[in-house]
């Protein structure tokens, strides 16, 4: 059998693409080596735009109430105070990644996609070699994350320069203390606190590799945020610490003949703005929308070009704020000055939030 669309990766980007693809009537297979439900080190916060996309996918109703919590905006916390802004167009949602994975997988199955547990060994135009068979397909979709094998096999990787960034997260069994996502800043990195249930918060850290003299761990990072440490001291943990990185990824292009990249596989700046899931859902939808009905050449190549062009604006919406905040994260004196500025002029922080939410 020749599949219309074969998606490597069963995370949110891959499952969203499978839902859109199968709904359009394409024969669709998802190849995922991990055991469901897929987990990942992330902040687990869906911005309002991500929440709209999840509703469009039909997966929002399948999320268990006990593994989610709405949040109304973002608060930046630093040594000299805090600044916050609230969303204008509805709340965001903190949701356990495993619950999100389960809901999207259920919708992909309902839409008619096939999901197969297997590892991808090699990718070429028109075929994917797995650990048990060769999958023939008209279109290969790389949705396999930061360390994308599809991107590597297609020769679309570019080297990343500069100090690398890493992340780690853990869940704590405590009630959220407010209805905002808190971002705590220090000279070593940032800490993100996201409500993900009535009695659970996600605490995640991001840092540059050269910002710490010692090998980083969840505990060593927490010590560098005294106010947060004092609040969560002795709180029972609900999950093991899970890490990710290096985070930044550059791509030569998002498409190659018969191949398209979406989500983190299509390039990644940083998790500092919390837009990763927004871009994952958007890229999945834009790709499937751009595909011609028959997936035949030369229409398929033109469709992949349309996809790449349509994603550029969304990419800039993500990349520009992320790079600006990364520049502040690397320069503590500049960051402290910027935070003092937005404390005096809170409307600027509200504008930033509108740009990324």
């Amino acid at each position: 059998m020749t599949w219309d669309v074969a998606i490597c990766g069963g995370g949110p980007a891959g499952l969203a693409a499978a839902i859109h693809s199968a709904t359009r009537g394409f024969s669709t297979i998802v190849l995922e080596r991990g055991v469901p439900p897929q987990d990942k080190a992330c902040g687990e916060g869906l911005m309002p735009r991500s929440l709209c996309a999840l509703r469009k996918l039909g997966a929002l109703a399948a999320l268990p109430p006990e593994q989610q919590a709405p949040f109304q905006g973002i608060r930046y916390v630093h040594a000299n105070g805090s600044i916050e802004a609230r969303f204008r167009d509805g709340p965001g949602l903190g949701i356990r990644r495993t619950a999100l994975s389960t809901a999207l997988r259920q919708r992909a199955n309902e839409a008619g996609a096939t999901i197969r547990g297997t590892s991808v060994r090699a990718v070429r135009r028109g075929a994917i070699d797995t650990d048990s068979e060769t999958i023939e397909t008209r279109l290969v979709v790389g949705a396999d994350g930061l360390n994308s094998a599809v991107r590597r096999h297609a020769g679309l990787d570019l080297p990343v320069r500069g100090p690398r960034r890493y992340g780690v997260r853990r869940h704590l069994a405590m009630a959220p203390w407010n209805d905002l996502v808190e971002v705590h800043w220090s000279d070593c990195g940032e800490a993100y606190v996201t409500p993900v249930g009535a009695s659970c918060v996600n605490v995640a850290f991001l840092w540059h590799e050269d910002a710490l003299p010692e090998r980083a761990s969840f505990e060593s990072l927490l010590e560098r945020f005294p106010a947060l440490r004092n609040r969560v001291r002795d709180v029972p943990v609900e999950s093991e610490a899970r890490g990710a990185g290096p985070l930044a990824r550059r791509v030569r292009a998002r498409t190659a003949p018969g191949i398209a990249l979406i989500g983190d596989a299509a390039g990644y700046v940083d998790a500092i703005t919390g837009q990763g899931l927004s871009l994952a859902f958007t890229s999945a939808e834009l790709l499937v929308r751009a595909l011609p009905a028959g997936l035949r050449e030369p229409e398929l190549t033109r469709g992949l070009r349309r996809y790449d062009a349509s994603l550029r604006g969304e990419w800039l919406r993500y990349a520009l704020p992320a790079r600006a905040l990364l520049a502040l994260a690397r320069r503590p004196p500049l960051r402290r000055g910027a935070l003092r500025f937005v404390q005096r002029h809170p409307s600027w922080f509200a504008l930033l939030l509108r740009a990324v939410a």
Side-chain angles (χ1 to χ4, degrees):
M1 172 181 180
T2 298
W3 297 86
D4 290 328
V5 179
I7 301 166
C8 301
L15 292 171
I19 294 167
H20 287 300
S21 175
T23 300
R24 271 201 64 185
F26 296 130
S27 59
T28 305
I29 186 169
V30 179
L31 308 174
E32 168 56 50
R33 66 179 180 179
V35 177
Q38 272 68 49
D39 201 358
K40 181 183 176 182
C42 67
E44 297 183 324
L46 279 69
M47 295 295 221
R49 292 176 71 239
S50 301
L51 200 52
C52 289
L54 196 62
R55 188 177 290 111
K56 186 185 296 186
L57 289 164
L60 188 58
L63 297 175
E66 69 276 8
Q67 295 191 58
Q68 60 175 286
F71 58 89
Q72 304 300 326
I74 307 293
R75 172 182 291 156
Y76 279 2
V77 182
H78 59 108
N80 297 317
S82 65
I83 178 71
E84 67 181 53
R86 293 180 176 261
F87 301 129
R88 293 180 52 184
D89 302 319
L93 187 70
I95 175 70
R96 292 288 288 264
R97 187 58 172 257
T98 49
L100 177 63
S101 173
T102 298
L104 288 169
R105 189 181 181 95
Q106 176 182 321
R107 277 294 299 126
N109 281 320
E110 292 169 352
T114 296
I115 302 175
R116 190 168 297 172
T118 189
S119 295
V120 172
R121 301 301 183 191
V123 174
R124 57 191 184 278
R125 185 176 186 176
I128 301 170
D129 295 326
T130 75
D131 54 5
S132 59
E133 61 181 321
T134 295
I135 303 292
E136 296 184 351
T137 180
R138 295 182 175 86
L139 176 65
V140 175
V141 178
D144 46 347
L146 293 175
N147 300 310
S148 171
V150 175
R151 186 179 65 227
R152 185 174 64 254
H153 287 301
L156 299 177
D157 265 318
L158 282 177
V160 176
R161 305 178 185 89
R164 294 173 294 184
R165 289 259 289 181
Y166 293 87
V168 64
R169 70 101 171 102
R170 171 174 276 169
H171 298 98
L172 303 180
M174 66 185 303
W177 53 86
N178 61 44
D179 61 352
L180 305 171
V181 169
E182 286 192 353
V183 183
H184 295 249
W185 293 79
S186 81
D187 288 355
C188 77
E190 313 90 58
Y192 301 78
V193 183
T194 305
V196 292
S199 57
C200 184
V201 297
N202 175 323
V203 177
F205 298 101
L206 295 175
W207 72 97
H208 284 92
E209 62 182 341
D210 60 353
L212 295 173
E214 75 277 4
R215 182 178 176 85
S217 67
F218 185 91
E219 292 75 15
S220 69
L221 288 160
L222 184 59
E223 286 299 316
R224 293 177 174 270
F225 295 86
L228 179 60
R229 178 200 61 207
N230 293 339
R231 183 179 283 275
V232 304
R233 191 197 305 272
D234 300 326
V235 172
V237 301
E238 275 206 358
S239 67
E240 295 182 355
R242 180 182 286 266
L247 299 179
R249 291 292 188 274
R250 297 175 63 227
V251 296
R252 191 181 311 278
R254 297 184 187 92
T255 66
I259 298 173
L261 303 177
I262 62 174
D264 296 353
Y268 196 74
V269 177
D270 198 81
I272 197 167
T273 61
Q275 295 171 279
L277 284 170
S278 294
L279 199 62
F281 293 146
T282 298
S283 60
E285 182 178 5
L286 290 176
L287 171 62
V288 177
R289 185 189 300 170
L291 296 178
L295 297 182
R296 305 292 184 185
E297 294 293 358
E299 290 82 4
L300 177 57
T301 294
R302 288 197 287 265
L304 294 181
R305 289 175 184 158
R306 285 195 300 271
Y307 159 65
D308 191 39
S310 67
L311 189 58
R312 288 173 194 162
E314 294 294 335
W315 173 260
L316 289 175
R317 178 176 181 154
Y318 154 68
L320 293 179
R323 288 182 175 133
L325 289 173
L326 276 177
L328 295 180
R330 286 288 292 164
R331 299 167 177 84
L334 182 61
R335 185 194 68 244
R336 288 191 286 269
L339 291 173
R340 286 194 297 268
F341 175 82
V342 296
Q343 276 187 285
R344 293 193 298 269
H345 306 281
S347 60
W348 285 90
F349 187 60
L351 286 173
L352 172 63
L353 189 60
R354 287 173 60 186
V356 302

